[in-house]
Amino acid sequence: MKNYELESYDNETSKERFYREEAYLRAKQKVKKILGFYWHLASYIIVNIFIIIVIVSNGGELFSFGTFATALFWGIGLAFHFLSVYGPDFIFGKKWEERKIQEFMEKEQSHHKFEKL
């Protein structure tokens, strides 16, 4: 059996390399998830357009529940896929919180300026 020498992460450059590799692997995994979501979205659009065209061309009504049922229920699944990829903080995330805090602070400061005059 062959013995392997393991390099320790004692020096700073090794630690930096380890953190870069770890960050790269996390980023690669995130890109895979995003790409999977976009493929899911593309197939959702293509398949549902095809289903709607087939239903309408065979005499079905365009504006009925049956025509859009697949799109509706698949859309719910797609929304959950979106949330799993981007997280619930996509709309009301940290940046939104920071902007709102800044906005309220500016309003408070402008309100106090008028009181001092």
Side-chain angles (χ1 to χ4, degrees):
M1 180 173 237
K2 188 175 181 180
N3 290 333
Y4 293 98
E5 291 184 30
L6 298 176
E7 182 181 337
S8 67
Y9 288 109
D10 291 337
N11 59 9
E12 197 61 36
T13 58
S14 295
K15 286 181 183 179
E16 288 175 10
R17 188 177 58 207
F18 171 76
Y19 292 132
R20 272 197 319 249
E21 288 173 8
E22 193 175 77
Y24 172 78
L25 292 174
R26 280 194 310 269
K28 186 175 180 180
Q29 188 67 21
K30 181 72 174 178
V31 167
K32 270 184 155 181
K33 287 181 179 183
I34 292 171
L35 186 62
F37 170 74
Y38 284 132
W39 277 110
H40 188 183
L41 178 64
S43 63
Y44 169 82
I45 292 169
I46 293 168
V47 169
N48 282 299
I49 287 173
F50 177 74
I51 288 172
I52 291 169
I53 289 172
V54 167
I55 289 173
V56 171
S57 67
N58 287 324
E61 292 184 27
L62 177 62
F63 297 107
S64 69
F65 178 74
T67 306
F68 293 100
T70 304
L72 174 70
F73 294 117
W74 190 354
I76 292 170
L78 186 66
F80 281 111
H81 191 177
F82 175 85
L83 289 175
S84 73
V85 171
Y86 291 103
D89 293 336
F90 182 75
I91 297 172
F92 297 115
K94 292 288 183 189
K95 291 181 181 178
W96 177 83
E97 288 179 10
E98 291 172 7
R99 283 195 316 266
K100 280 298 182 186
I101 290 170
Q102 189 67 30
E103 178 184 323
F104 289 133
M105 287 174 57
E106 288 172 2
K107 283 183 182 178
E108 186 74 23
Q109 288 176 354
S110 65
H111 181 66
H112 286 301
K113 285 181 183 177
F114 289 119
E115 287 181 353
K116 291 179 182 179
L117 295 178

